[in-house]
Amino acid sequence: MTEPHLFVIHGATGDLSRRKLLPSMYRIMAEAGITDQSILLGVSSKDLDDDDYRDFARKSLADAGVDDYEPWCDERVYFQRIERGAEDLSPLADKIAAIEARHQLPGNRIFYLALPPTAFPRMITGLSDAGLNESPGWTRLVIEKPFGRDLASAHELNELVHSHFDETQVYRIDHYLGKETVRNLLAFRFANMLFESNWNRDRVDAIEINVAESLGIGSRAAYYDGAGVVRDMLQNHLTQLLALVAMEAPNSFEAEAIRDAKVQLLEAVRDIDLDELTLGQYGPGEADGVPVPGYRDEPDVPGDSTTPTYISVRIDVDNWRWEGVPFYLRTGKRMPAKSSQIVVRFRPPPICVFHGKRDKCAQHQNVIRLILQPNEGFDVHFDVKSPGDSLQLVEKKLRFTYADEFDRLPDAYQTLIFDIMQGDQTLFVRADEVEASWRLFDPVIAAAGSGHPLDNYEAGTWGPPRRHTPIQWAEGPIRGETLTSPQAAIPQTTPPDHEGR
Ligand code: BG6
C-alpha cells in the first residue's frame, strides 16, 4: 500500500528527472489511481519558481506520452531553489513544512539524489543538519550510481550515510535491478527445477555476461572520462547480473535474505587475473552506416584520454557450486547493436556415441541464452537429428519471448520508484554489497590507470580480440541473433599484439 508522501528530487531539472523520474512516478500513481498520494518537490540550483517547475513537469510528461497529467501538475508539484554548493538546507526544510501543512501529509518523505556523485556528501550532511534525516513519518534516502569511485571512497560514503541515516532508510539505485528480465532471473532459476538442478560445475562449462551498447558517450564526457567502463557498467550493472545468476538460493524472498546471498557470492570471487583482462577504447567507425567519431574525438574528451570504453574480464568463483567454471563479463560502447545477454554453455556429453560420424555431425554444446534486452526472453539450444537416413545433427532452439506472452514490460525506474514508495529494499544495493563489488574491481581500476594495454577498436565492431586463455568450447557462436561475433566467441589462442592507441 502506498502511503501519502512528499517526493523530493534533488537534481530536479536534470536529464534523469525529465526523462525517467517524473514520467515513472506519474505512471505509478496513474496506474494505481493514487495521484492524490504523492506530492512532488523539485530541488535544483536553477532560478525557477513553482509555476516554472510545473511547466517543466508538464513538458516531461507530455514528451513521455503520459495522459491527463494537468491536474496533478497544477496542484501537486512544487519547486525549491538551493544554490549550488549551499550547505544550509533550512529553506528546503521550511518549504517541506509548508507543503506538508497545506496537503496534510503525515511527514513521509523520499529524498532522491539525482545528482553528480561529487554532490552526495554535501547533500547528505545538509539534509541531516537541517533535521531532515528524520520526520514524524518515514524518511527514505535514494542514491543514484556510481556509489563511490573505488572501495575506499565507497566505504567512506557508507560511513557518512550511516552517521546520518539508518541503512533501512537507504536505497542505492542500480537501474538494471529494476529491469523485468533481470528480476526474472531469480524466478527462472528458483522456480524451475529443470534449470536450477543443472546450474552448477557438473553441468556448466562457462557463463558469459555480455552487455553491448551501440551508442557512444554522447555529451557525457564530463562524467564518463573520469569514470570509464569499469565504474560506469562493470562494478554495478554487470556485477549485479553476476550475483543474480550465480548466487545460492536465498532462504526466503525477503530483501535481507536475497541481499545476503548476493554478498556471499561476491565474497567468493577470486582475485581477478589481470592477464585475462582486455581493455579497449573505440576509434572512429560507423554506426548504422553513418560515420561516427572515435572516443578521443567526442566533445570534451581529451585527445590523449586513456579511459576504457570496453572491457572483458574473467571471473572465477571459489565455491562448491562454481569451482572451475569461468564467468566472462564483457561490455562496451559503440558496438554493432544494443544487446544484453547471459549465455550459459553446458558441458558436452561425456562421450560421443556418434563415432565415425563426427565429421558429419558436430555436437554442439547445449546453451541457455537469457536475453535481457532487446527481444526480452530466453532460448534453449539443443541438437536434433535432421530427418533422413544419414545421421546429421543440427542445432535448433526453443524460444520464449515476453512480447509473445505478455503486455508491455514496465520501465525499470517505474518498478524501482514503486518499491521505494512501498519501502521494499529488495532491488536496492546494500552497503556491504556495494563494498564487496568495489573490492573485486579496485585492482582492475588500478591496472587501467597504470599502463595495462588499451586496445583500439573500430566503432561499430564487437571490440578488440579478447586476451582470455583458450576455452575448450565445442563449437563457435550460437546461431541466430546473437551478440557474440565468431572472432570473439572463440577466444584467441595467440594473444593479439598489445598495442595502445
Ligand atoms: C547507465 C550508464 O547506468 O546505464 C550508461 O551510465 C549506460 O553509460 C546505461 O548507457 C545502460 O543502460 P541500459 O538500460 O540502456 O542498458
Side-chain angles (χ1 to χ4, degrees), residues 10-125:
H10 297 263
T13 48
D15 202 43
L16 180 68
S17 300
R18 183 178 58 76
R19 282 191 311 110
K20 292 286 182 190
L21 303 185
L22 266 64
S24 301
M25 184 187 170
Y26 186 81
R27 282 201 179 103
I28 292 167
M29 295 185 298
E31 283 172 17
I34 51 165
T35 44
D36 56 337
Q37 303 283 297
S38 194
I39 310 290
L40 173 64
L41 171 55
V43 181
S44 98
S45 58
K46 293 234 157 46
D47 191 9
L48 306 179
D49 61 18
D50 290 343
D51 284 336
D52 296 329
Y53 194 62
R54 286 174 185 155
D55 287 342
F56 178 93
R58 286 187 193 100
K59 176 142 183 21
S60 150
L61 298 177
D63 289 349
V66 170
D67 297 324
D68 303 330
Y69 51 79
E70 285 288 350
W72 183 72
C73 289
D74 293 348
E75 294 155 27
R76 295 189 160 75
V77 174
Y78 297 87
F79 184 80
Q80 175 64 45
R81 179 175 189 215
I82 298 285
E83 279 187 43
R84 199 179 294 274
E87 286 176 5
D88 178 14
L89 299 191
S90 51
L92 177 64
D94 294 344
K95 181 93 175 192
I96 289 175
I99 297 172
E100 288 182 342
R102 177 164 181 200
H103 291 273
Q104 299 182 329
L105 293 176
N108 297 328
R109 299 167 190 163
I110 295 167
F111 293 101
Y112 195 121
L113 307 191
L115 296 169
T118 47
F120 293 159
R122 184 178 43 76
M123 195 53 77
I124 291 164
T125 310

Side-chain angles (χ1 to χ4, degrees), residues 269-385:
V269 173
R270 193 185 302 165
D271 289 349
I272 288 173
D273 181 352
L274 298 176
D275 288 341
E276 304 257 357
L277 169 67
T278 312
L279 296 172
Q281 187 189 70
Y282 64 83
E286 283 195 355
D288 293 327
V290 178
V292 290
Y295 177 74
R296 293 179 183 183
D297 300 322
E298 297 279 19
D300 303 325
V301 173
D304 58 354
S305 170
T306 54
T307 298
T309 60
Y310 169 96
I311 189 164
S312 176
V313 68
R314 171 181 169 143
I315 299 274
D316 286 274
V317 181
D318 285 331
N319 69 9
W320 195 273
R321 184 190 285 262
W322 294 118
E323 186 62 33
V325 180
F327 290 74
Y328 297 100
L329 274 53
R330 179 165 49 147
T331 181
K333 292 207 182 285
R334 276 286 183 235
M335 315 215 100
K338 182 173 173 71
S339 166
S340 306
Q341 302 187 351
I342 299 173
V343 181
V344 183
R345 292 175 184 269
F346 290 87
R347 293 188 186 286
I351 56 163
C352 176
V353 297
F354 309 106
H355 291 300
K357 311 262 188 190
R358 291 193 81 160
D359 52 335
K360 283 214 276 175
C361 55
Q363 273 179 284
H364 309 107
Q365 285 178 293
N366 289 139
V367 167
I368 293 180
R369 235 172 18 140
L370 299 153
I371 301 163
L372 309 178
Q373 57 186 9
N375 305 328
E376 290 87 347
F378 64 85
D379 52 33
V380 182
H381 298 238
F382 53 92
D383 273 1
V384 294
K385 177 187 164 302

Side-chain angles (χ1 to χ4, degrees), residues 145 175-176 179 213 220 232-233 237 333 338 373:
K145 70 155 254 277
H175 80 275
Y176 265 53
K179 288 181 190 279
E213 297 191 86
R220 298 168 74 212
D232 187 50
M233 296 290 289
H237 304 329
K333 292 207 182 285
K338 182 173 173 71
Q373 57 186 9

Side-chain angles (χ1 to χ4, degrees), residues 237-293:
H237 304 329
L238 275 84
T239 304
Q240 286 298 327
L241 298 180
L242 169 72
L244 292 172
V245 88
M247 70 189 232
E248 295 302 315
N251 290 343
S252 71
F253 210 66
E254 299 301 316
E256 291 319 308
I258 292 175
R259 300 196 296 179
D260 285 347
K262 283 161 68 188
V263 172
Q264 197 184 22
L265 184 280
L266 296 177
E267 287 178 346
V269 173
R270 193 185 302 165
D271 289 349
I272 288 173
D273 181 352
L274 298 176
D275 288 341
E276 304 257 357
L277 169 67
T278 312
L279 296 172
Q281 187 189 70
Y282 64 83
E286 283 195 355
D288 293 327
V290 178
V292 290

